[in-house]
Amino acid sequence: MSSMELERMNTDKSGEEEEKEHNERNTRVCTSCEKIHESISKWMLPENARGTYLERANCMPPPLFIISISIAELAVFIYYAVWKPQKQWITLDTGVWNSPFIYRPDKREEAWRFISYMLVHAGIQHILGNLFLQLILGIPLEMVHKGHRVSLVYLAGVIGGSLASSVCDPLQALVGASGGVYALIGGYFMNVLVNFREMIPLFGVFRLIFIMMIGNFDPIYYFTSFSLKVSFVAHIAGGLAGMSIGYVIFSCFDKNFIKDPRFWISIVAYLVFLVFAVFFNIFLSPAN
């Protein structure tokens, strides 16, 4: 046998070994992804919808919306904590108050503040609490329902929170992403309630306890933190947005929610509230 033939055989053999190793790596990755998706499907979906989800589930793209918004919120916090003069990290003061992102009653004509306030947080407990809640719930939700659905629910909670606060507590400033976080909690909570009968009883009870513990985490922290004045109206409004719009969108996991009449009913109700809040801010607010 010639040296050229031996070299060709060695090359073919090494190529087969590389391909085999590559396939083994892909198999390990796929197995890991399958286990993750199987666990997520049990937490996020009723039993009759899990098969459809697992057939189409993949790890790409990753949950970009929740990860991106969390990075943006953390980056803004670090900016004001490090590059702006602050007395302490626990409760940020001067730099945050003068931020172009914060919602302030005397700056209501700058309409972007009704959304951008979610990027600014009052202190290290505030930012860590919100990041923990939205990552632990938002990542699984986005893996199941995709970014455009989760972002719609999240932003509905953010806008609803600031508008409700401007109506019910018109002289108070607002910071933090709690409106969006509570919208995710509200949507998930409603889905657990509606699909409770389709779960193993003990597992259903455990999910309800889990989501109620998450929902109570923020209020418990604020009741024990007397240095911060909190707009609970924004939390409640965000939760209600999630319990209406979020519930409908998360219920239509394998369907087009645009065709669901419940979606349009919740959207019309949301828009009525939005128009009223805008009218109130322009003509009736004590902050004028």
Side-chain angles (χ1 to χ4, degrees), residues 148-149 152 248-249 252 255-260 263-264:
H148 66 288
R149 293 171 180 250
L152 180 59
V248 176
I249 289 178
C252 300
K255 301 174 184 176
N256 187 349
F257 62 83
I258 298 295
K259 297 180 180 179
D260 191 327
F263 173 74
W264 293 108

Side-chain angles (χ1 to χ4, degrees), residues 171-187:
L171 301 180
Q172 182 167 322
L174 198 62
V175 294
S178 296
V181 172
Y182 273 76
L184 299 181
I185 293 173

Side-chain angles (χ1 to χ4, degrees), residues 74-96:
L74 183 60
V76 170
F77 174 80
I78 291 173
Y79 172 75
Y80 284 107
V82 176
W83 281 278
K84 289 288 184 178
Q86 303 294 332
K87 295 178 182 178
Q88 56 178 334
W89 271 45
I90 303 302
T91 304
L92 305 184
D93 46 14
T94 310
V96 169

